[in-house]
Amino acid sequence: MSKIRVLPDRVANQIAAGEVIERPAAVVKELVENALDAGATRIEVEFNHGGRSYMRIEDNGSGMSRDDALLALERHATSKIAEADDLNRLATFGFRGEALPSIASVSHFTLQTREASTDAGVEIVINGGRMVHVRDCGRPVGTRIEVSHLFNSVPARRKFLKTDTTEAAHIIHGVRLYALAFPQVAFSLIEDGRAIFRSPQCTTFEERIAGIFGKQTAEGLLTLEADEPGMKLRGLVGRPGVGRSTRHEMICFVNQRPVDSRTLNYALIESFHESLPKGRYPVAFVFFDIDPAAVDVNVHPAKREVRFRSEASVRSFVIRAILGRLREFGQAAAPVAVGNGNAGAATIGDTGRIANQPLAPQVAPSVTSSVITAIPERRVKDNAPYLQPQAPIQPPSPTAATVAPTQPAPPRSPTRAWRFLGLAHGAYALFETPAGLVLLDRRAAHERIWFERLQAQFREGQVPSQRLLLPVPVELDSIATALLLDRLEFFNGHGFEIVEFGRNFFRIESVPAWMEPTDAEPFVRDLLGALREGRLQEKNVDVARDELARLAVAKAIRLPEAAGEAELQGVLTQLFACRAPLTSPLGRPTQIELSHGELARRFQK
Amino acid sequence: MKFKINRDHFSNGLAQVLNVVGSKATMPILSNVLIEADKDFILLTTTNLDLGIRCKIKADVKESGAVTLPVKRLASIVRDLPNVDVSLDASPNHQVKIASGGSNFRIMGIGKEEFPPLPEFAEEKSFNLEQAELTSMLKSVSYAQSTDETRYILNGVYFSFKEGKLTLVATDGRRLALTNKEIEVPATSAGSIILPAKTVAELVRMLDKGEKVKISFSERRAAFQINTDKDSSGLVDSIYLYSKVVEGNYPNYNQVIPKETHQRIKLERELFLQCVHRAALVCSEKSNSVKVKLSSNLLEITAQSPDFGDAHESMAIAYSGPELQVAFNPQFIMDPLRALAKDEVFFEVKDEVSPGVFKTLESFICVIMPVRLS
């Protein structure tokens, strides 16, 4: 007897089931995908005991004929592709033709289906891979699959299932993903006879999110829409400062398929780098559409991972799109339309044109036109006296490429849209705004202002440096010495003047003008620490500068204890002239808004 | 305790001791003033443990004794009393009755036992100075003290009695002001202290009430006995001010004072101050510096800020050296100019990285470090 045998189908299916069907959630996933592929507009998922004892997926899709249904239970039988080339044009979820037979081989499996063209449906019952019966049955058009006693025939797999709650969580998460991806399909999810959610057919994605994740989450989101040849990004992302402690609400779809893509995840986290504190993850529901040929979904049997042909371009596109949107939002959130300053130089003596000029500061050219037209006519007139007498003033730095920073801007009209109410604990300023109340964190606001100020100084290479009366001595170990010697030019180019003064010994002779002399030594040590950790890469000067600025703001800010209205209004004006006014450079929010709705809710009105 | 007192005298006395009391006193007793009545005067004392002040006011004492009362509240009440004659009567349970004209107050006090005693001063080293002179010396350096609390050594004015001179120094690490005066220093009395900024401020406020001030100090404490013979509102004898001193070694300031003079110009103080002040009006937090440019018989001051505009000031001077330009924080230029009283000052500069030095004919020096764009 030969030692090598071809395994019977049943065994082969059980083995395949090990790959595709690792837990109840995988069954739900495969079957919901099938339902969607069948063009269903209503899908109902029910499960008991974390799916281990019973799962039911019912749809109103196209259904199957008797022959098709039988064939579907064969391995590698699929309606979705016909030849290998089709893999490159995949527009459906399934294609491997493994799911149904795999599931059927490890459970008690009941399939009922009817095509629109036939009068009677067909019912197939399979137990542990063995056919029990095939017979006619009555049912509406569509398919209903019941899976019970999952892994009864594979005790090893059954043992490795987690608790019911964990398995249930996986199922719920999975169904949510598909529900998000297909707002036009009605979804119901029932656990142990209790509805987790019922979401009718939704016209918009926002409605669907509110239906599934709750209104509160939905209110903290921004719509996103970006296009580039071959790539498209849309969806909703959290506002700056809105974050979660886990990645669970960072959900990506590629060509409508929920995936776990490192590229996209990193791009998301990177985009929120400035808008969220370290260790917080953004809330994001994004749909990334790309030519199916440029993406490989056949990496993992469960199709959870995808690979892009060109990871770098995908990544940079996503970052650009999201960052752009976040900044745009930051600008639009300003209490009055900001930036009527910079338009001045270009339109001297022609105030009438101002309203039609792009008024935003140069760094954020994408302020929507609605913001611009929102500037009251009177405000424009207010500016007129400032504009007219403006003599041509020599730009201080003729080398600067952009016009805006070098042209002196006329002073802004004071912000009157937000009324200052008071300062709490010396730390939080309370403002009354048209939308409700805003609490401003003074420190975070100053951090943002200083951060961008320092960034600008670094960029323009104009870092004022204050020489010290008494040079500050710094003694370092030999590793730090080597590092410092290596980066001496970087340090000295950013406001310091550090000279070597013997073996492992340095003297700080100048510090950046904003720095207290006492802070110089600890700051240099902190910087060296950051260098050692590789946070200040010399390769990328911009990144290094940002990091430097981030470290520096903590030292630069000295808040006076009391602050009056004028000062805080000034802070507000400066803050909203920033690129990203809503978060501190470490990603903490600078302000909390209590909307009228929120207030009414809290007071139970 | 029972006494009668003139309202304005009482109010003036309370005003002298009021500032010491912080708003956030750690012990309730520290927000009280100790009132001690004896013979024909009362003593008012307050302390915050670092700094204590005591003054003496004439009063018509019927019954001697002592009590403490919340000083801020008491001062407001006394100031607003309707009649000049005020009588105060303390019962043994520390309840104090204040009566003036038709108004009567009853205030709860705390016993004198809980009030921390002012340090006993065994006279160690002491000097007598003219009040007016000490005031002007303090004013000419005190602006340069550091306000950065982490650098506590520099949060004060350094007093040095050495080599026949009293030297006062203040610095914040970017500028340094120094003034000195010749006095007789016996070898046994030589020494130095750092007087905390708060004490300096109080001292400046107190001075000019009489001719003389006596300073006594040890390594840990300093005391000032301020003669009040010029005062006409009730203060008698002297005001005493007891202060802890900042402990530590003051940096060696001599090494930062340039030894040689390079380019020296004579300036009209007021005019220069005004020019710098005007130029600095365009400065912002972003670019807080003014450029001083010297050329043949001309001094130019320029300032600019990228988002506002620029300013240019010029003044005629007598100068024939090489052309040179150096930038400073305008505050550093204006502070000494404001503090001085002389019409003429000398300003010495060398190049854009070397310090600028203000001098007067009377041994005043202020060194300010330049700002550079790197």
Side-chain angles (χ1 to χ4, degrees):
Chain A
M1 200 173 105
S2 91
K3 283 182 183 165
I4 311 283
R5 273 160 299 172
V6 174
L7 290 174
D9 262 5
R10 197 166 81 94
V11 181
N13 279 339
Q14 284 193 359
I15 293 171
E19 277 176 47
V20 182
I21 311 300
E22 48 184 0
R23 58 179 6 149
V27 174
V28 172
K29 170 179 176 301
E30 293 293 341
L31 298 179
V32 168
E33 285 184 357
N34 282 348
L36 290 167
D37 284 345
T41 57
R42 188 165 47 75
I43 298 176
E44 192 169 292
V45 179
E46 183 178 357
F47 65 97
N48 294 340
H49 294 120
R52 146 194 338 236
S53 66
Y54 177 77
M55 285 179 279
R56 175 175 64 86
I57 289 89
E58 195 164 350
D59 66 53
N60 64 349
S62 57
M64 288 177 281
S65 68
R66 176 184 275 251
D67 292 347
D68 280 352
L70 281 169
L71 201 57
L73 292 163
E74 297 286 327
R75 230 150 79 83
H76 302 306
T78 181
S79 60
K80 296 167 187 177
I81 55 173
E83 48 191 67
D85 223 22
D86 289 352
L87 279 176
N88 288 335
R89 294 189 290 272
L90 278 177
T92 54
F93 287 111
F95 57 85
R96 292 164 74 108
E98 282 180 329
L100 282 186
S102 299
I103 297 167
S105 69
V106 292
S107 65
H108 183 84
F109 182 89
T110 310
L111 169 76
Q112 289 186 341
T113 182
R114 177 164 85 87
E115 271 190 316
S117 57
T118 53
D119 291 342
V122 62
E123 179 183 270
I124 301 172
V125 178
I126 296 176
N127 194 2
R130 290 176 212 280
M131 184 75 73
V132 177
H133 64 244
V134 180
R135 64 183 178 206
D136 285 351
C137 70
R139 67 152 285 118
V141 174
T143 307
R144 163 197 177 115
I145 293 174
E146 286 175 344
V147 176
S148 53
H149 309 297
L150 186 69
F151 298 140
N152 238 8
S153 53
V154 199
R157 178 66 69 183
R158 197 174 174 83
K159 265 188 218 155
F160 278 91
L161 288 181
K162 299 281 188 306
T163 59
D164 284 1
T165 355
T166 315
E167 296 300 339
H170 282 285
I171 294 177
I172 294 168
H173 183 66
V175 177
R176 273 182 175 171
L177 290 183
Y178 286 99
L180 284 178
F182 294 89
Q184 71 281 11
V185 178
F187 270 89
S188 332
L189 178 63
I190 301 158
E191 179 189 9
D192 297 333
R194 190 169 51 89
I196 302 284
F197 66 80
R198 281 182 200 282
S199 182
Q201 298 184 3
C202 298
T203 44
T204 67
F205 187 51
E206 287 86 337
E207 277 175 45
R208 180 48 62 94
I209 288 187
I212 298 175
F213 287 92
K215 275 215 174 83
Q216 230 178 354
T217 304
E219 277 170 7
L221 298 174
L222 295 175
T223 54
L224 183 72
E225 191 116 39
D227 247 317
E228 238 174 55
M231 289 186 273
K232 198 174 155 196
L233 189 72
R234 69 202 157 79
L236 297 168
V237 291
R239 296 183 183 188
V242 176
R244 299 284 186 266
S245 59
T246 65
R247 294 165 185 246
H248 284 140
E249 289 180 37
M250 223 167 83
I251 293 168
C252 306
F253 301 85
V254 171
N255 295 341
Q256 299 239 309
R257 181 195 303 280
V259 294
D260 192 18
S261 155
R262 285 172 142 245
T263 314
L264 291 180
N265 282 348
Y266 279 131
L268 276 171
I269 293 173
E270 180 104 15
S271 316
F272 277 84
H273 183 56
E274 259 184 35
S275 312
L276 282 180
K278 235 186 201 156
R280 302 280 288 172
Y281 297 96
V283 182
F285 307 98
V286 296
F287 293 85
F288 181 66
D289 293 329
I290 190 167
D291 176 11
V295 60
D296 181 5
V297 292
N298 199 8
V299 180
H300 186 274
K303 299 164 203 134
R304 257 205 314 254
E305 283 178 29
V306 294
R307 282 200 194 131
F308 299 106
R309 290 274 145 78
S310 158
E311 309 251 307
S313 63
V314 168
R315 187 184 150 106
S316 72
F317 164 64
V318 172
I319 293 178
R320 240 177 305 134
I322 297 180
L323 266 187
R325 181 65 180 105
L326 290 175
R327 284 182 181 158
E328 184 185 318
F329 175 71
Q331 298 295 337
V336 288
V338 291
N340 32 358
N342 285 332
T347 55
I348 297 167
D350 190 1
T351 47
R353 259 170 57 207
I354 286 184
N356 300 322
Q357 289 284 325
L359 294 179
Q362 300 270 330
V363 281
S366 48
V367 171
T368 55
S369 59
S370 66
V371 174
I372 294 158
T373 48
I375 304 168
E377 196 59 28
R378 204 171 50 77
R379 186 174 297 288
V380 175
K381 290 208 186 91
D382 282 350
N383 267 343
Y386 295 119
L387 294 169
Q388 264 137 17
Q390 202 167 35
I393 295 172
Q394 288 300 312
S397 152
T399 51
T402 49
V403 183
T406 53
Q407 291 285 4
R412 296 171 199 288
S413 321
T415 311
R416 281 282 166 262
W418 285 19
R419 191 162 72 84
F420 175 69
L421 297 179
L423 187 66
H425 301 294
Y428 308 105
L430 184 64
F431 291 92
E432 182 188 86
T433 71
L437 291 174
V438 165
L439 269 170
L440 182 80
D441 181 350
R442 279 172 76 203
R443 173 158 287 277
H446 274 105
E447 279 178 6
R448 166 54 66 186
I449 295 167
W450 269 98
F451 178 65
E452 299 206 353
R453 187 177 292 166
L454 294 177
Q455 271 185 326
Q457 281 185 0
F458 292 163
R459 212 173 31 240
E460 290 159 21
Q462 299 195 333
V463 188
S465 164
Q466 168 74 53
R467 282 185 62 90
L468 297 180
L469 268 171
L470 305 159
V472 181
V474 190
E475 196 178 0
L476 298 169
D477 60 33
S478 48
I479 301 174
T481 302
L483 269 172
L484 181 55
L485 283 177
D486 226 25
R487 306 294 158 88
L488 216 48
E489 208 176 312
F490 179 76
F491 277 81
N492 290 348
H494 291 87
F496 281 99
E497 198 178 323
I498 303 176
V499 294
E500 205 177 357
F501 199 67
R503 193 178 146 75
N504 293 349
F505 210 83
F506 293 86
R507 271 171 40 152
I508 305 174
E509 296 200 331
S510 301
V511 295
W514 41 264
M515 183 178 274
E516 282 292 335
T518 10
D519 288 334
E521 191 214 330
F523 184 70
V524 167
R525 287 188 191 275
D526 284 359
L527 273 183
L528 289 171
L531 272 172
R532 230 185 256 204
E533 286 169 21
R535 274 193 285 153
L536 274 170
Q537 295 298 331
E538 209 176 39
K539 280 183 283 184
N540 192 337
V541 171
D542 285 339
V543 175
R545 282 177 176 166
D546 282 4
E547 191 65 38
L548 180 65
R550 207 165 284 132
L551 286 168
V553 286
K555 303 283 181 204
I557 296 166
R558 260 153 232 277
L559 292 178
E561 266 188 29
E565 167 163 11
E567 191 199 329
L568 286 161
Q569 289 283 4
V571 169
L572 214 56
T573 319
Q574 289 178 46
L575 180 64
F576 282 103
C578 289
R579 257 182 315 109
L582 297 180
T583 52
S584 79
L586 295 172
R588 282 190 285 265
T590 55
Q591 52 199 270
I592 299 171
E593 185 174 40
L594 288 167
S595 63
H596 290 305
E598 170 94 26
L599 288 170
R601 195 154 58 229
R602 297 264 174 113
F603 285 111
Q604 306 182 357
K605 279 180 191 159
Chain B
M1 183 186 76
K2 204 170 171 183
F3 61 84
K4 272 202 177 127
I5 192 166
N6 176 302
R7 175 192 64 197
D8 299 333
H9 292 179
F10 197 15
S11 185
N12 179 30
L14 289 170
Q16 301 304 323
V17 300
L18 189 64
N19 272 11
V20 171
V21 176
S23 51
K24 284 181 232 153
T26 42
M27 296 154 62
I29 189 79
L30 294 184
S31 34
N32 280 15
V33 55
L34 172 66
I35 305 172
E36 293 165 293
D38 197 15
K39 293 176 197 149
D40 55 354
F41 58 85
I42 60 165
L43 284 173
L44 300 176
T45 311
T46 56
T47 177
N48 62 14
L49 299 181
D50 289 336
L51 173 62
I53 297 182
R54 169 173 291 164
C55 68
K56 206 185 237 186
I57 307 166
K58 57 185 168 196
D60 181 6
V61 179
K62 302 241 163 57
E63 209 176 285
S64 61
V67 72
T68 77
L69 289 173
V71 63
K72 297 232 151 125
R73 213 53 97 72
L74 180 65
S76 338
I77 290 173
V78 171
R79 192 171 49 235
D80 289 344
L81 286 174
N83 202 312
V84 174
D85 296 320
V86 178
S87 73
L88 197 138
D89 188 355
S91 57
N93 62 358
H94 313 310
Q95 209 178 61
V96 178
K97 269 188 224 155
I98 301 173
S100 164
S103 52
N104 284 287
F105 288 84
R106 245 188 7 205
I107 301 168
M108 295 310 298
I110 305 178
K112 122 178 219 198
E113 305 72 40
E114 285 182 46
F115 197 83
L118 288 182
E120 287 296 321
F121 224 87
E123 282 212 7
E124 296 184 12
K125 299 166 179 175
S126 64
F127 294 90
N128 279 305
L129 301 167
E130 298 287 328
Q131 289 194 22
E133 199 157 23
L134 183 57
T135 312
S136 80
M137 287 177 80
L138 280 173
K139 278 187 181 157
S140 64
V141 299
S142 60
Y143 54 84
Q145 296 172 96
S146 170
T147 51
D148 180 11
E149 297 203 345
T150 54
R151 232 180 176 190
Y152 63 95
I153 289 279
L154 302 185
N155 293 157
V157 171
Y158 179 72
F159 282 64
S160 157
F161 299 89
K162 254 180 225 136
E163 295 151 10
K165 271 193 298 191
L166 163 63
T167 310
L168 263 53
V169 187
T171 178
D172 64 3
R174 290 166 284 211
R175 53 173 165 174
L176 177 138
L178 175 150
T179 177
N180 55 38
K181 157 187 162 47
E182 290 185 3
I183 58 168
E184 211 169 294
V185 183
T188 49
S189 298
S192 61
I193 49 166
I194 305 167
L195 201 64
K198 169 95 177 161
T199 309
V200 171
E202 283 299 295
L203 191 57
V204 169
R205 200 172 62 88
M206 303 262 170
L207 289 171
D208 280 341
K209 290 202 166 54
E211 292 287 317
K212 291 283 181 188
V213 52
K214 182 176 163 194
I215 168 170
S216 324
F217 61 92
S218 69
E219 272 173 18
R220 325 200 65 173
R221 283 191 297 265
F224 292 84
Q225 183 183 344
I226 301 157
N227 207 308
T228 56
D229 43 16
K230 275 201 287 190
D231 187 84
S232 57
S233 52
L235 292 171
V236 284
D237 289 358
S238 308
I239 297 178
Y240 292 85
L241 193 140
Y242 301 89
S243 171
K244 280 191 181 165
V245 299
V246 181
E247 289 180 49
N249 291 323
Y250 206 72
N252 180 4
Y253 53 88
N254 281 320
Q255 71 183 35
V256 306
I257 298 169
K259 299 284 174 291
E260 51 211 81
T261 304
H262 291 270
Q263 306 305 334
R264 174 178 237 195
I265 50 174
K266 192 157 88 173
L267 291 168
E268 275 182 62
R269 184 180 63 89
E270 281 285 338
L271 185 63
F272 188 43
L273 175 59
Q274 284 164 7
C275 285
V276 174
H277 176 73
R278 277 194 301 267
L281 292 176
V282 302
C283 287
S284 64
E285 260 183 284
K286 237 185 257 184
S287 59
N288 192 16
S289 63
V290 293
K291 278 199 194 102
V292 176
K293 187 177 168 196
L294 294 182
S295 48
S296 177
N297 290 338
L298 182 67
L299 181 141
E300 288 164 281
I301 302 157
T302 54
Q304 64 190 22
S305 77
D307 42 28
F308 186 69
D310 53 21
H312 181 267
E313 293 276 341
S314 55
M315 55 193 275
I317 50 164
Y319 178 74
S320 55
E323 205 166 278
L324 63 87
Q325 180 168 306
V326 51
F328 295 103
N329 181 330
Q331 209 57 45
F332 292 1
I333 300 180
M334 290 189 285
D335 281 342
L337 293 177
R338 282 209 184 99
L340 292 173
K342 282 276 165 197
D343 288 339
E344 278 175 353
V345 291
F346 296 96
F347 189 44
E348 297 174 5
V349 283
K350 183 184 167 198
D351 55 38
E352 61 158 0
V353 293
S354 304
V357 184
F358 284 105
K359 284 183 181 167
T360 66
L361 291 174
E362 339 169 277
S363 55
F364 165 82
I365 297 175
C366 179
V367 184
I368 58 177
M369 295 305 282
V371 173
R372 267 202 316 161
L373 284 180
S374 56

